[in-house]
Amino acid sequence: MDGQSFSGESLAGKKVVLWFWAPWCPKCRAEAPRVAAAAQATAGKVTFVGVAAQDALPAMRKFVTEYKVSGFTHLADLDAAIWTRFGVTQQPAYAFISPDGKIDVVKQQLSESALTDRVTALTAA
């Protein structure tokens, strides 16, 4: 979103949470604070990456600022190629990726406790 290039290869061997969101999505707006908190709480242990789609870049940038989720990288998936790669058809959704490459895709909103549980399990991986 910031005009910098990003390579998924930079995530290889890391514990990663991909958060799939859209700027106009009320569920995404509601869960933004808990995603930001989880990212901050696990900084240095888990890499969070937001993957925005289904809107234009200005709306995506506004969301990141307005909902205070600028503490981690966000990608503008303007053609939904990343969403497609992970089988995401609705938002919010997540992909929890362990260092060995195992991927667990969750295609629904997560409560604070559910997100914490999944991130905690990932940190133990």
Side-chain angles (χ1 to χ4, degrees):
M1 252 184 246
D2 61 5
Q4 303 294 318
S5 62
F6 182 86
S7 171
E9 291 176 1
S10 68
L11 302 175
K14 296 182 180 179
K15 299 169 184 182
V16 179
V17 176
L18 300 181
W19 175 44
F20 298 89
W21 59 271
W24 48 264
C25 167
K27 290 179 181 180
C28 301
R29 292 175 179 176
E31 72 181 7
R34 61 181 165 257
V35 173
Q40 184 176 15
T42 59
K45 299 177 198 164
V46 177
T47 301
F48 276 71
V49 178
V51 186
Q54 300 183 1
D55 210 328
L57 194 53
M60 294 173 181
R61 288 182 176 143
K62 181 180 177 187
F63 178 97
V64 168
T65 301
E66 188 173 327
Y67 292 93
K68 299 176 176 66
V69 289
S70 61
F72 54 95
T73 300
H74 291 271
L75 307 177
D77 192 14
L78 298 174
D79 62 358
I82 302 168
W83 281 42
T84 301
R85 165 71 177 86
F86 285 89
V88 173
T89 56
Q90 64 187 33
Q91 72 294 323
Y94 296 84
F96 298 90
I97 307 170
S98 63
D100 65 2
K102 181 178 178 256
I103 302 169
D104 181 19
V105 177
V106 178
K107 299 177 186 177
Q108 66 185 28
Q109 184 177 12
L110 293 176
S111 67
E112 183 175 356
S113 62
L115 177 60
T116 298
D117 289 350
R118 287 186 176 271
V119 173
T120 299
L122 186 60
T123 59

